[in-house]
Amino acid sequence: MSKMNEQHITTGGMKMRMKIGIVGAGYVGLVSAAVFADWGHDVVCVDHDAEKIGRIRAGDLPVYEPGLADMVERNRQAGRLRFTTDLSRTAGELDLLIIAVGTPAADDGHPDLTALWNVVHSLKQCVKGDLTVAIKSTVPIGTCQAVSRFLNGHPGSRFDVVAAPEFLRQGTAIADFLSPDRVVIGCRTEAAKRKMQQLFAPLACPLLFTDWQSAEMIKYAANAFLAMKISYINTIANLCEQVGADIQQVALGIGLDRRIGPAYLQPGIGFGGSCLPKDTQAIVALGKDYGVDVSLFREVLRVNREQRGRIVQKLADRLGGVQGKTIAVLGLAFKANTNDVREAPALDIITRIVQAGGEVVAYDPAVNMESLKNDFCFTPAADAYQAVTGADAVVILTEWEEFHGLDLQQIRSLMRHPLVIDGRNLYAPHMMKQHGFHYVPVGVPEQEVAEAAATTV
Ligand code: UDX
């Protein structure tokens, strides 16, 4: 615990050390639990999955997140962080209960709130007295209101519901949690506002207090905007390939305009993960529910799907079809520094290659490939060199640091054909050309790749 945080929890004469319950031991729940415990609070993290809790207690976290395992262990040893499956035994003693369960997309694009409502029903049964309940799960607009109505339907207990959307990214979750651009809190009472001000006092960022609906909407709107920026830059990249421009230079030139900003202008294979696709789908479903034209976001999703297809098309164009060809796929995770493959573009791309008659050998440094190989019909490799051995082409789908440092000479010598389709623009085109590769990045015309090589030789 840092000096600053020790001061935070003891100054002002108020009770600053809170007893916090967090339901849901996924990304958001575990990171929140670890950080709040690190700030000195007494935290209990609850999950109904006994196997998961057993693994966590044994030091085996269900998510791969840099720095998280150490932070969890440090706080467990200090007695500030506990894990349990039993909500009823702890809920009654808490100052604050945070709900951070998953709300995955249902088939119709709406989030599935089953897990959230299960928690809410349990709370109503086991809490007698007052409790502040903060909802960190991403929930449709109107959920906090519905939860508050349900919980406060009977006399005896008073539940103060707070919307507390989370904006952390996988792979940088702890850093994002500790230095967010803002914290958004939707609440209705002064008491809840004060509690959340105390909780987030260690952060140097603005705290934005809003009504419930606006806080819920901010989460969807922010993620849909990021998704839109990625589909936008991918569309510009596709144009660059045809008109002879270089997307890296173009993105730099666009991003230097402060009205636009440089973030989320990296072109590639489109967005994946547990949030951007789901939350953009949810906005589309919302538009349908309320009769609002949200075709902009339908298009964002369509462009995103097409971007995956373009990778397979690039392969087929250069190999004369992928039927009977062996394709090495480097990277399965939806982005680097995570083992998460939810909505991972790589799995979709592999499926398309296999459906077109190609054979896939895949490698990822963090993803558990054994659990995926049968469903997605690929052969796992122990490392990148094994994956590329005898390959007709290599496709790079995750920007792992490890792939930056590959011995390109060796990779070239192991491949049957020197075709590299780079969905993440990891390498300098001239360097790849010098190593004898036929290198196809995103958003750079092949003519440009060839000319860049010619001018630097
Ligand atoms: C996202 C939001 O950023 C975060 O605020 C929210 O809480 C959860 O969803 P995350 O899913 O962890 O976070 O990943 P993010 O880093 O945003 O990337 C999402 C996807 O977009 C990845 O597939 C990534 O590869 C892709 N991406 C991102 C691009 O293709 N180009 C970019 O410039 C940025």
Side-chain angles (χ1 to χ4, degrees):
M1 195 179 16
S2 73
K3 260 253 155 347
M4 177 195 82
N5 296 341
E6 267 176 61
Q7 278 170 10
H8 154 63
I9 63 163
T10 53
T11 54
M14 299 169 79
K15 184 191 173 203
M16 301 295 265
R17 179 173 178 161
M18 288 189 217
K19 199 160 171 32
I20 301 173
I22 298 184
V23 187
Y27 258 102
V28 171
L30 281 173
V31 171
S32 308
V35 173
F36 290 142
D38 217 46
W39 286 352
H41 298 294
D42 184 6
V43 180
V44 54
C45 186
V46 188
D47 200 295
H48 67 154
D49 183 339
E51 195 203 326
K52 192 193 259 186
I53 291 296
R55 278 178 54 192
I56 296 171
R57 282 184 182 148
D60 178 16
L61 294 192
V63 297
Y64 173 90
E65 185 63 38
L68 183 59
D70 285 351
M71 196 181 254
V72 165
E73 201 40 44
R74 185 165 74 233
N75 285 285
R76 280 188 64 197
Q77 282 180 12
R80 290 189 295 263
L81 179 55
R82 288 183 298 123
F83 293 91
T84 178
T85 52
D86 192 353
L87 177 61
S88 61
R89 280 181 56 186
T90 42
E93 314 153 5
L94 300 172
D95 297 306
L96 171 67
L97 182 115
I98 296 172
I99 302 179
V101 294
T103 52
D107 289 343
D108 62 359
H110 290 91
D112 177 351
L113 300 184
T114 310
L116 179 104
W117 279 105
N118 284 344
V119 176
V120 172
H121 278 270
S122 314
L123 281 180
K124 190 164 182 167
Q125 277 170 9
C126 64
V127 175
K128 304 280 170 263
D130 292 357
L131 182 62
T132 305
V133 177
I135 301 183
K136 263 203 182 294
S137 306
T138 302
V139 291
I141 292 79
T143 303
C144 286
Q145 187 164 36
V147 167
S148 178
R149 276 203 190 124
F150 175 82
L151 285 175
N152 290 306
H154 295 289
S157 309
R158 206 181 61 84
F159 293 89
D160 204 347
V161 176
V162 174
E166 182 50 64
F167 301 94
L168 58 80
R169 292 164 299 172
Q170 292 179 212
T172 50
I174 290 176
D176 287 350
F177 200 98
L178 292 174
S179 14
D181 292 335
R182 80 309 201 188
V183 169
V184 176
I185 308 288
C187 62
R188 283 221 165 152
T189 67
E190 268 306 310
K193 184 175 175 182
R194 274 199 308 276
K195 194 168 275 185
M196 300 314 274
Q197 275 169 333
Q198 282 173 22
L199 181 66
F200 289 108
L203 299 180
C205 69
L207 299 190
L208 176 67
F209 287 96
T210 70
D211 56 78
W212 284 329
Q213 288 84 348
S214 302
E216 290 163 339
M217 189 67 199
I218 286 167
K219 175 67 194 266
Y220 282 112
N223 274 351
F225 184 83
L226 296 175
M228 184 178 73
K229 227 175 157 185
I230 296 168
S231 279
Y232 154 83
I233 200 66
N234 281 330
T235 305
I236 299 292
N238 299 342
L239 261 178
C240 284
E241 287 175 9
Q242 302 307 317
V243 302
D246 178 341
I247 191 63
Q248 306 293 6
Q249 296 178 43
V250 172
L252 185 65
I254 300 167
L256 283 170
D257 185 328
R258 275 180 296 167
R259 293 170 303 173
I260 298 172
Y264 286 77
L265 289 183
Q266 181 62 42
I269 55 176
F271 54 82
S274 63
C275 290
L276 262 48
K278 168 176 83 91
D279 294 351
T280 313
Q281 279 169 31
I283 290 239
V284 170
L286 211 57
K288 215 166 162 189
D289 293 346
Y290 287 86
V292 176
D293 179 0
V294 288
S295 47
L296 171 66
F297 297 107
R298 237 181 241 120
E299 199 53 22
V300 165
L301 291 168
R302 192 193 62 75
V303 168
N304 199 50
R305 280 193 302 274
E306 291 296 312
Q307 201 64 14
R308 301 165 179 193
R310 282 182 68 87
I311 293 287
V312 185
Q313 194 57 52
K314 281 179 174 175
L315 264 178
D317 289 349
R318 273 107 188 145
L319 292 174
V322 293
Q323 174 80 38
K325 300 287 185 335
T326 301
I327 313 298
V329 166
L330 298 187
L332 297 186
F334 81 95
K335 64 177 198 176
N337 297 323
T338 176
N339 60 354
D340 200 334
V341 290
R342 281 177 288 177
E343 292 283 332
L347 295 181
D348 191 8
I349 291 168
I350 288 175
T351 302
R352 292 175 194 234
I353 295 171
V354 171
Q355 278 169 356
E359 196 182 307
V360 173
V361 182
Y363 168 69
D364 187 286
V367 170
N368 177 354
M369 290 185 291
E370 287 299 317
S371 64
L372 297 168
K373 67 177 187 188
N374 292 334
D375 286 349
F376 293 92
C377 304
F378 64 81
T379 307
D383 59 28
Y385 300 101
Q386 191 185 82
V388 306
T389 303
D392 293 295
V394 169
V395 183
I396 297 168
L397 300 180
T398 310
E399 71 283 21
W400 284 105
E401 187 60 34
E402 173 180 326
F403 298 156
H404 286 275
L406 291 175
D407 179 340
L408 294 172
Q409 207 57 50
Q410 195 182 344
I411 295 280
R412 169 71 190 87
S413 68
L414 291 169
M415 292 177 70
R416 190 181 305 148
H417 293 119
L419 176 61
V420 176
I421 310 282
D422 187 353
R424 297 290 187 169
N425 288 2
L426 293 193
Y427 304 108
H430 69 271
M431 189 183 72
M432 295 302 279
K433 186 85 182 165
Q434 281 167 10
H435 280 97
F437 289 105
H438 179 180
Y439 182 62
V440 186
V442 176
V444 184
E446 281 183 53
Q447 185 59 22
E448 296 285 309
V449 175
E451 280 170 14
T455 51
T456 46
V457 169

